[in-house]
Amino acid sequence: MKTQIITIATGLIAAAAFAQTTTNSLVIHADGGTNTISRMIYGQFSEHLGRCIYEGIWVEPDSSIPNTRGIRNDVVEALKKIKVPVLRWPGGCFADEYHWKDGIGPRANRPSMINTHWGGVVENNHFGTHEFMDLCEQIGCEPYVSGNLGSGSVQEMMEWVEYMTSDADSPMANLRRANGRNEPWNVKYFAVGNESWGCGGNMTPDFYSDQYRRYNTFVKNYGTNRLYRIACGSNGGDTNWTRVVMEDVGTRMNGLSLHYYTLPTGSWRGSKGSATQFDETQWFSTLRRALEMDSLVQRHAAIMDKTDSQKRIGMIVDEWGAWYDVEPGTNPGFLYQQSTLRDALVAGVTLNIFNQHCDRVKMANIAQMINVLQSMILTDKEKMVLTPTYHVFEMFTPHQDAKLLPSELNCEDYARGEQKIPGMSVSASVDKSGAIHVTLCNLNATRPASVTCDLQGASPKSVSGRVLTSSDMTAHNTFDQPDTIKPAPFNDVQLASGGFTTTLPAKSVVVLELK
Ligand code: AHR
């Protein structure tokens, strides 16, 4: 009798759990697709802001923290594992008050300045052009340099490019040689201004376009170096900025940027929301706002299509990510925040969006790489911790330079009150070896998601997976407990005739490999 009661009770629980599972279907066209997911979509951003550069990357060569020429070894090793393809520097708002000549030559002789944008702290210029290029070489990524249009001169911008990339017998190339670097660096990605509608000069799009045309005239290609010129794009949904710059600058640029940040409350005034103390209401509002990236990309792409139907100009989302209140007790100007499972979902859905729009999105740079906003890595003196966002970037690495596979997701909504969002997000690609990778996010905080996938044009013999999840939506890694949340093997997936079936845990990011 006792056994029967237990059986009935267990059955009821199982039935309740089953009822709570959402039902979803997916079609992946493994025999289709023409667009490559540029690995540059997985780019990073490092600004002279808070403890991103100083402490996070740069510790000086004589530091007790293991380093190579002043750059932290632990950080470089971690970044190599996520295959960082490109790194944007020196800002951000800082870029438009950065004077590159302050950051070259013997470090002891470099002048200090005040970082007026970020905390009013002293910037000693010990991390400059040579140190940044060394960092890129150590990581194995491409440099993306932001030029100073806001407070710098045309000559200054012209000379920086000459300093970095010219092999001639010319003043700037010789200055670089005198500073210890004989060979020019390959610098492909170069931006002419940052947020010129705001901290970069409060310009109108017409004025900026004229400025771009003037500065860009003197930003030259030296030797075999060919610049990919990136113009300042809009603030979120300002499609008029995109229209004007597309019409006035046109193919004088190779890429046009877009900045969009996810704020739980949606407001820059007052509290943006805590990084770690939140309930399902803010979980939902954060993901709802992260998903707005999809319509933003589509709206700006539609404007770009009007004058660039061949998609020669790339959309460069060179700042994106979650922006919360700073951690209590930290400098408000340092933008230091923790990163939870919620951020893993923000990263997962956003990267899926970029993958899906890889015909137009040619680069993206999450803000920012270390100790600032939605970081990959947090540091505290000699300690380092990897965030859930880092783990998502690592899980998504197989998409880099793979072919996007067209897919159709028919998913249940995730509803809160009167609002609803898609309960899932997905993208799929096939790499050069023929392996198919599918990245899936279950946004729903409480309900698992069962998925039946019709995989057309492929008959894989095996499937394996990894999952990032937790029972706690605020789960995060700390210096004392660095492995609270990390990827785990995922076995709830089965090959089925013509595809696969799987059940994603609530609030999870999953990557599947089909071979
Ligand atoms: O990423 C932090 C800041 O956000 C950048 O400096 C600026 O470009 C943006 O407003």
Side-chain angles (χ1 to χ4, degrees):
M1 189 62 188
K2 197 174 171 190
T3 314
Q4 268 183 345
I5 291 169
I6 291 169
T7 309
I8 292 164
T10 313
L12 285 175
I13 292 166
F18 179 75
Q20 288 175 352
T21 301
T22 67
T23 307
N24 311 276
S25 62
L26 173 66
V27 179
I28 297 175
H29 301 273
D31 47 1
T34 51
N35 297 316
T36 298
I37 299 170
S38 171
R39 69 182 189 283
M40 299 302 163
I41 282 174
Y42 293 83
Q44 300 285 332
F45 171 33
S46 59
E47 179 167 10
H48 289 240
L49 195 179
R51 297 186 300 111
C52 181
I53 298 290
Y54 299 106
E55 294 184 37
I57 294 166
W58 179 257
V59 290
E60 303 283 350
D62 61 357
S63 169
S64 59
I65 299 172
N67 70 83
T68 302
R69 296 179 293 280
I71 295 168
R72 290 180 76 125
N73 292 344
D74 53 354
V75 164
V76 167
E77 280 316 302
L79 294 172
K80 280 159 91 169
K81 287 192 186 124
I82 57 170
K83 301 188 176 162
V84 173
V86 61
L87 181 57
R88 178 173 184 247
W89 173 84
C93 296
F94 181 80
D96 276 300
E97 59 183 34
Y98 181 61
H99 301 285
W100 67 271
K101 283 185 183 168
D102 292 347
I104 57 172
R107 278 190 283 276
N109 299 344
R110 296 183 194 176
S112 290
M113 65 181 279
I114 300 298
N115 190 333
T116 59
H117 273 295
W118 305 119
V121 293
V122 174
E123 158 68 56
N124 65 15
N125 277 303
H126 281 200
F127 190 89
T129 303
H130 291 250
E131 290 78 12
F132 172 65
M133 295 299 178
D134 190 9
L135 170 66
C136 291
E137 286 174 355
Q138 289 189 36
I139 297 172
C141 72
E142 298 223 28
Y144 169 12
V145 176
S146 278
N148 179 347
L149 176 93
S151 70
S153 66
V154 173
Q155 180 183 2
E156 186 179 1
M157 189 181 287
M158 179 174 93
E159 288 184 340
W160 199 8
V161 173
E162 181 191 337
Y163 184 90
M164 292 185 289
T165 64
S166 172
D167 200 18
D169 179 11
S170 71
M172 291 303 114
N174 287 334
L175 181 58
R176 183 194 66 239
R177 292 184 187 104
N179 286 329
R181 172 78 186 196
N182 280 326
E183 297 299 311
W185 291 287
N186 290 319
V187 178
K188 182 173 176 186
Y189 299 105
F190 189 84
V192 181
N194 167 74
E195 296 197 352
S196 305
W197 37 262
C199 66
N202 282 301
M203 302 175 195
T204 65
D206 303 83
F207 184 76
Y208 170 73
S209 297
D210 286 347
Q211 291 296 309
Y212 177 95
R213 289 165 66 130
R214 176 169 175 239
Y215 276 70
N216 181 56
T217 304
F218 302 95
V219 168
K220 314 250 180 182
N221 289 322
Y222 294 95
T224 56
N225 194 68
R226 290 290 168 274
L227 293 170
Y228 183 100
R229 297 148 193 271
I230 298 170
C232 167
S234 94
N235 178 17
D238 182 1
T239 48
N240 182 55
W241 182 283
T242 301
R243 181 186 63 75
V244 172
V245 179
M246 284 298 290
E247 287 173 3
D248 291 358
V249 173
T251 52
R252 290 178 184 86
M253 63 185 165
N254 303 105
L256 178 61
S257 73
L258 169 67
H259 288 184
Y260 174 67
Y261 285 100
T262 298
L263 280 61
T265 59
S267 172
W268 291 100
R269 296 200 177 155
S271 171
K272 300 175 191 70
S274 160
T276 54
Q277 311 284 312
F278 57 88
D279 57 13
E280 191 177 350
T281 300
Q282 280 210 350
W283 166 277
F284 181 89
S285 67
T286 305
L287 295 183
R288 183 170 68 77
R289 292 195 165 89
L291 287 170
E292 283 176 20
M293 182 66 88
D294 191 50
S295 72
L296 276 178
V297 169
Q298 290 194 46
R299 276 153 56 206
H300 287 288
I303 304 278
M304 294 174 80
D305 284 349
K306 287 190 180 156
T307 49
D308 179 33
S309 59
Q310 292 177 18
K311 303 186 195 301
R312 282 175 296 178
I313 298 171
M315 187 185 292
I316 308 295
V317 191
D318 54 16
E319 287 186 31
W320 68 271
W323 192 319
Y324 307 123
D325 296 340
V326 297
E327 288 305 305
T330 64
N331 187 330
F334 281 15
L335 309 185
Y336 177 76
Q337 64 190 41
Q338 253 290 1
S339 188
T340 67
L341 174 59
R342 176 176 61 172
D343 297 278
L345 270 293
V346 170
V349 302
T350 307
L351 292 170
N352 277 340
I353 290 167
F354 294 154
N355 288 348
Q356 297 285 14
H357 293 291
C358 67
D359 59 332
R360 183 61 89 173
V361 179
K362 297 299 174 191
M363 188 199 289
N365 309 75
I366 188 170
Q368 298 190 8
M369 193 161 73
I370 302 171
N371 291 333
V372 171
L373 299 177
Q374 192 175 347
S375 319
M376 305 298 110
I377 293 172
L378 303 174
T379 65
D380 179 15
K381 301 185 185 69
E382 76 290 352
K383 292 185 190 163
M384 177 187 89
V385 75
L386 306 177
T387 66
T389 303
Y390 172 95
H391 292 305
V392 170
F393 270 72
E394 185 275 319
M395 291 165 75
F396 277 56
T397 54
H399 286 312
Q400 292 193 15
D401 286 341
K403 184 174 74 167
L404 177 74
L405 296 177
S407 58
E408 290 115 41
L409 174 66
N410 194 344
C411 70
E412 283 191 34
D413 283 334
Y414 174 25
R416 292 280 296 173
E418 301 202 332
Q419 290 180 321
K420 54 189 180 183
I421 57 176
M424 284 182 55
S425 137
V426 68
S427 66
S429 68
V430 60
D431 69 17
K432 292 192 175 63
S433 76
I436 293 170
H437 294 93
V438 188
T439 45
L440 302 130
C441 302
N442 182 6
L443 284 66
N444 198 302
T446 54
R447 301 173 69 186
S450 74
V451 185
T452 305
C453 177
D454 175 6
L455 183 63
Q456 298 185 352
S459 304
K461 295 187 176 52
S462 69
V463 61
S464 59
R466 288 193 301 148
V467 62
L468 189 72
T469 190
S470 167
S471 56
D472 174 7
M473 66 171 74
T474 70
H476 57 277
N477 295 329
T478 65
F479 296 104
D480 293 331
Q481 293 182 306
D483 291 325
T484 301
I485 173 164
K486 61 179 183 181
F490 178 68
N491 300 316
D492 204 349
V493 55
Q494 301 82 33
L495 287 178
S497 157
F500 63 86
T501 59
T502 183
T503 300
L504 313 175
K507 46 181 164 13
S508 65
V509 180
V510 166
V511 57
L512 300 178
E513 180 175 75
L514 298 121
K515 294 206 271 202

